[in-house]
Every structure is written in C-alpha cells, then in structure tokens.
Amino acid sequence: MKLRGPAAQDVSYFRSVLTRPSHSVLDGTASHDVKDEIDKKYNTDWTRHYKGSSDLVLRPQTTWEVSSILKYCNENHIGVTTQGGNTGLCGGATPISNEVVLSMEYMNRIYKLDEYSGVMTCDAGCILQSLHDYAEEKGFLFPLDIGSKGTCQIGGNVSTNAGGHHFFRFGGMHGTVVGMEVVLADGRVLRLNIDNSEDCNNERTHQFQQSSASLRKDNTGYDLKQLFIGGEGTLGIVTKVAVACPALPTSKNVALLVCNSYNDVLQILKTSKEELGEILSAIELIDSNTMNFVQKYGAGNGDHLITELLSSETTSKQPLFILVETQGCNQESDFSKMDSFLTSLYESSTIENGFLAQDSKQIEEIWGLREACNPSVAQAGYVHKFDVSIGIESYMEVAEEVSDALKKSNLPDLTVCCWGHVADGNAHINIISGKFDGDVNEAEAIENIVYSSVMKRKGSISAEHGIGQSKRKYIGQTKDEAVLELMSQVKNLFDPNFILNPGKYLP
C-alpha cells in the first residue's frame, strides 16, 4: 500500500501520546512560523543539497513514545524519517516527501559509565561531544571522534556506522557498540545486550523491560544489533546504545609533517607502525588544494604552522600534509618515541619538514587544521562530496585520475580536494565548483567519474558517511545480485510496509 502523509487526526493522536505536546509536536500546517522552522532545521540537510517537504516533526522523550508513534504509523501507512543532529552528508536523514520527521533530540540522557567494564549507556539523542565530556570526567575516552561532534548524535553515528579519526586505533561502531535498544516498525522493542533498569520507575516503559547487563561477551544467538549499525534507520530506530570506552590516555603527542609525494606517505605509514607501535592512534592526510582553502577560509587557524612547514626550499608545489597522533600512558617515553620517529623520517628524506606539538594548545591547533577542511571548502563554492574507501596503495590515484578526467570532460572551474583517514584507506574527495548553485547534469557527470575510478580499483563508494539518497542508485553496481536480494528480504522482514526512511538506502 502506498504511504501517505499525516493528517489532522494523526496529529491529534500523536499529541495524546507525547509528553509535553506543546514542545514535542511541531505542526507546520498550524502556522507559517512553525513551517519555516521545520523547513530550515528539519527539511534541509547540512550540505543544503537535499530538501524535504515534511509538515510534521515529533520529538519523543521515551522509548514508549517512539514505540507508540511507530506502531500507529505502521498501522496507518505513514512514512517516518528519523533524524539525529542532521549532520549527514548523503541526505539519509532528510525527508523526501511528507513523512513524519522523528527527531531524537529530546532523548538525551546519559545513564551511566561502568567504572570496571568501561561501558557507557546513553540515549540515542545524546550529542557526541557531551559523551566525550562525560567519559573524560570519569577517566575514560569515548572512542568515536569526528569533526561534527559538537552537533551530531550518537544514534545517528551508530545508524551510519561512523568511523572518525581514531578508527585505526579503536575500530568502528561494529566493534565498540556492545549493546543497543531498537524500536521496530511495528512498535516492538528489542533490547540487545543493554541494561535499561534505570527506566523501571516509568510505568509506560515497564511493559517492555527485559533488562540485562551490557556484557562484553554474549554468544547466545544471532548478534542482531549488527544489522542496525549502518542500517540508516531503515530496519528500526535506535533509541539507546551501550559503548565500550577505553581508559583516558595520560599522554598525547601530535605532529604535522609535510612531504613531496604519496610514496613518502606510504613510507611514513610503514615507519609509524614499526616505530610507534601500540601508541599510534591516528594518521590523517591533507592535500595542498585543501590546505590552500583552509588558509584562505579557516580564520587564520594555524597559518604560522603551514608557513613554517613550507619554508624548505626543496618542498614541492603540491605537497602533502600528514598528521600523526599517539596516545599512551607514559609522556616521557611516548614523546621520545615520537621524536625518534620524526628524526628517522627527516634523516631518510621521507619528509621535508615537521612540527611536533609541545603542549595541549599546539595539539589543538594542529587538529584544528584538520577539522577546518570541511567548513573551509564549503565556503569556497558548491561542493560535490565523496566519501570513499580505497586500497591504501591507490589512495591518491583516484583524486589524481578524477582531476585529469574532469579536465578532459570540459567541466570548468573545478578544484579536486582530498583529505581523510589515510591509515584505513578512507578518502574524502571534495570537488569544488566556483559556482554556489548545484547543476544536476554536472553533478551526475562528476559522480560517474569518481565512482568509476573507485569501483575499478575494487573500492567502496561509502566508507563512513552512509548511503542515504545520494548513493542509492549506485548500490546495484557495487553488490552481487544475491547480496541485494538478501538485503531486500531483511528489509521486508523488519519493515514490511516500508515506513522507515522511505526512498533511502536500498536501490
């Protein structure tokens, strides 16, 4: 049956089940001001590439409320788009038509962090930065760290399987998430190795209680939570998560290096693993085009560092910048290792120059350059964004091949930028147009060039940003027919009426 948009009687029902309906229900049909708020905050994604037409936003505060909403929508064939911090880059959290937007922003409680297991339990609507702050207060480190941590929500991070700066050290969400609570399309609640005993005093949630501790090991039955990690809200809505956090490092060192070729980068990767070993936590690459935009639009952050690093007479006109970070528990020993590592690189002429941070301020300054990449290119023009995974040996080949192909295709005024998590092969290729308006034909031509280059190297068209709307049509080219058929069967099992995030993910 075809999905429909919410009507007046549906809004009345939602008001009856939501706590504080005056705050939890935004009905765009009620006033122009509310509709304007919905359009600006909920119908438009961070990139401004995708715009929806939803008239209704619901902001539940409990799992019971989420369950009640989904059960009703499923029975009445109303589409639902779940939204976290709305920082996605693929249109996955933006409604396509007049679906109900289910915002998780009011489900933002941190329940506990077990001091022995290191497992933190929290609501899906918690801002990532708040989880970092809470973990640090308790002597732990939250393992996921991404540039949008001040706005993004952990539920969205889990649903897109976010990777981040420290994927090399701690792995992804499939490894760090030990438990979760999920609401299915028909309103059923799954508690998958998560302790929700804190909610037992709530009569509305009591009927769902089947509490268990968030165990680090649970080998009883299928590990269903893995289906929802990276599922982008198409199989169920994540409402709570339990994440394993390592102890807070007492030692951190960061260096910014400059080299002339990608062969030098490969040598840095090899040497860093040999000489830094277990304390190596991140290796990030920034190409010269990106760094030029950071210098121009990054509000002067780290300008003196870049100038100093480029002072060598032998530095090429297109240098590559490498950020190397270590985390450990012995500052003297770790600093000595890093210093020896940099000396080795310099003496072998692998790097042209390097800067080792001497204090926390300089560490923040170096990381500030890396985190300025995305907002800086956004100020330069219309950005065609690509998040791809490539074999490490071919990391820069794709960007170079794409640049050459664009020139031959007579697509004018385009600049190819590449930065990302080079240690795990994740490249963020951004193609900037001097125009600030998107051109559909230009976008399609660019997509075909980029994805063709990635796929012929057996890479992935999505490393950590998800599928959403932007990559949906390419899934059929990247997965075997048998795999696609099984994915469709899983979708039919969990969401037979296709109410969850319609028009996304699957081809």
Side-chain angles (χ1 to χ4, degrees), residues 328-467:
C329 59
N330 187 317
Q331 178 61 26
E332 184 178 352
S333 172
D334 295 349
F335 188 87
S336 177
K337 276 188 175 183
M338 180 70 100
D339 188 57
S340 175
F341 163 68
L342 298 181
T343 300
S344 173
L345 293 177
Y346 192 75
E347 290 179 347
S348 65
S349 298
T350 303
I351 60 173
E352 294 300 312
N353 214 336
F355 179 85
L356 178 58
Q358 301 298 306
D359 53 38
S360 59
K361 182 180 179 181
Q362 290 182 345
I363 288 175
E364 290 178 4
E365 196 169 26
I366 292 175
W367 269 113
L369 290 171
R370 168 60 182 86
E371 295 189 348
C373 294
N374 212 25
S376 295
V377 299
Q379 292 185 60
Y382 188 88
V383 184
H384 303 270
K385 307 189 74 66
F386 299 91
D387 160 61
V388 298
S389 191
I390 316 161
I392 293 174
E393 71 283 353
S394 305
Y395 192 87
M396 286 302 296
E397 286 181 13
V398 171
E400 292 165 357
E401 184 175 89
V402 166
S403 183
D404 290 341
L406 291 174
K407 291 174 183 176
K408 294 175 183 177
S409 299
N410 295 318
L411 291 170
D413 197 22
L414 295 174
T415 304
V416 178
C417 292
C418 182
W419 71 85
H421 320 301
V422 66
D424 57 50
N426 182 185
H428 300 313
I429 297 175
N430 286 240
I431 300 172
I432 297 91
S433 168
K435 303 174 293 184
F436 278 85
D437 295 318
D439 181 296
V440 174
N441 293 328
E442 179 181 87
E444 186 172 354
I446 291 172
E447 284 180 359
N448 289 334
I449 289 171
V450 174
Y451 290 145
S452 174
S453 182
V454 170
M455 287 189 282
K456 81 176 185 181
R457 291 175 172 81
K458 301 187 185 304
S460 170
I461 63 171
S462 179
E464 62 179 3
H465 292 171
I467 301 297

Side-chain angles (χ1 to χ4, degrees), residues 143-317:
L144 176 66
D145 190 3
I146 57 180
S148 60
K149 62 187 175 186
T151 309
C152 67
Q153 297 174 12
I154 187 60
N157 302 145
V158 170
S159 296
T160 56
N161 190 25
H165 307 316
H166 295 136
F167 182 94
F168 175 79
R169 176 69 174 270
F170 302 118
M173 307 302 289
H174 282 292
T176 57
V177 174
V178 299
M180 68 170 62
E181 178 185 80
V182 184
V183 182
L184 300 182
D186 61 8
R188 285 180 295 167
V189 178
L190 300 184
R191 291 210 163 84
L192 307 170
N193 191 38
I194 193 165
D195 182 359
N196 273 346
S197 56
E198 296 86 352
D199 286 348
C200 286
N201 59 352
N202 188 329
E203 292 182 3
R204 284 178 150 182
T205 62
H206 182 71
Q207 60 177 303
F208 299 121
Q209 294 302 321
Q210 293 291 332
S211 298
S212 63
S214 295
L215 305 171
R216 293 300 296 268
K217 288 184 175 181
D218 178 15
N219 203 23
T220 54
Y222 300 118
D223 191 3
L224 295 178
K225 70 177 182 294
Q226 301 297 345
L227 287 172
F228 302 99
I229 299 173
E232 299 186 33
T234 60
L235 301 179
I237 296 178
V238 177
T239 49
K240 291 182 175 63
V241 295
V243 180
C245 301
L248 189 69
T250 56
S251 164
K252 181 184 287 187
N253 292 286
V254 177
L256 186 62
L257 318 176
V258 62
C259 56
N260 283 339
S261 73
Y262 189 67
N263 283 334
D264 293 331
V265 175
L266 291 175
Q267 187 59 46
I268 292 171
L269 284 169
K270 186 173 182 293
T271 305
S272 66
K273 294 173 184 177
E274 293 171 348
E275 298 194 15
L276 300 176
E278 76 285 351
I279 63 172
L280 182 61
S281 56
I283 305 181
E284 301 284 307
L285 177 145
I286 307 172
D287 76 353
S288 57
N289 285 342
T290 306
M291 197 63 91
N292 288 339
F293 284 127
V294 170
Q295 284 187 283
K296 186 173 182 179
Y297 298 107
N301 294 332
D303 272 357
H304 67 286
L305 284 181
I306 302 172
T307 302
E308 182 179 331
L309 287 171
L310 297 178
S311 61
S312 172
E313 294 181 358
T314 59
T315 302
S316 75
K317 293 182 179 179

